Each structure stands twice: as structure tokens, then as C-alpha cells.
Amino acid sequence: MAETKQADESGSRASRTKADRQAARLAKQIDAFARSHGGSAEGQVAYLGQRGARIVLVGENGEWGDLVATSHEIAVQAVERAGITVHKDFDGAFAARVRTGPYEWSRMAGMQIGGPDNG
């Protein structure tokens, strides 16, 4: 029994370490995004089901981007490490800060306005 418990604990420690490394890597990417888009960023963490969680970022200049973490817990840890403001929902006030360009508009509307086929 002791051997099994010890193996379980070391496996758990290894997965925690892997999760910590992923959260640290994501936090660095969030920091880099913030620096390159006006100096600060805000975000929202959304579940992606079994795939993990999506971190949507909006820079001070309105540019946006996203990152994917393998779990919701890792995503939350990453935004906490980065120290950004996190919104519970991607609501109207937060969404209004997003600046979209021609590419996004053509992808959203697709063939309706002469953009590329979304299929």
C-alpha cells in the first residue's frame, strides 16, 4: 500500500508541476500581449469542455487575442499570475472595447459581403 500511495503522490506532484509550468507559460504570453497592445489587458476565461479553457484577451488599444489552457484551473491560475482584470462574462461593456478589422468582419459575414467562404 505504501508503495502505491507514494507512486500516486509523485504522479500527482508531476502533474501539478506540469500544470504550474503551463500556467507560468500562459502568464508570460498574457504579459507579452498586454505590453504589445497598450500596456495592459483584460480577459475572460471560458470553458471549452474537455479541451480545457479559452482565455480571451482585450488589450488597452482594443486589439484582441486568445489562448487555450488544458484546464479551467490552469487558465485561472495563469490570469491570476499575470495580474489582469478578469471579467466573469464577455458582456456588452467588455465586448464593446474590442476593435475588429476587415478580416474579422469578412470572416463573420462570409459570402454575404463578399468575404471568403467560411466553410
Side-chain angles (χ1 to χ4, degrees):
M1 277 287 200
E3 290 176 16
T4 304
K5 184 176 180 184
Q6 186 177 13
D8 290 345
E9 287 175 0
S10 73
S12 176
R13 229 179 326 207
S15 66
R16 271 198 312 268
T17 302
K18 185 177 178 182
D20 288 342
R21 284 194 309 265
Q22 185 184 24
R25 186 171 48 252
L26 288 167
K28 282 183 182 181
Q29 291 173 317
I30 293 168
D31 289 339
F33 176 88
R35 280 193 309 276
S36 65
H37 293 287
S40 68
E42 295 181 25
Q44 190 257 338
V45 177
Y47 284 100
L48 290 177
Q50 290 181 342
R51 292 185 178 251
R54 178 181 186 204
I55 304 168
V56 179
L57 301 168
V58 179
E60 190 175 318
N61 65 358
E63 294 289 323
W64 68 278
D66 63 349
L67 298 167
V68 175
T70 55
S71 75
H72 188 264
E73 294 76 22
I74 291 172
V76 169
Q77 187 179 5
V79 296
E80 287 174 353
R81 283 185 181 198
I84 65 170
T85 300
V86 180
H87 297 265
K88 183 175 179 138
D89 297 308
F90 202 83
D91 61 7
F94 182 47
R97 296 191 53 231
V98 175
R99 189 178 73 206
T100 55
Y103 172 78
E104 288 85 5
W105 281 104
S106 70
R107 292 297 294 167
M108 287 186 277
M111 293 175 47
Q112 295 174 7
I113 60 169
D117 183 6
N118 289 336

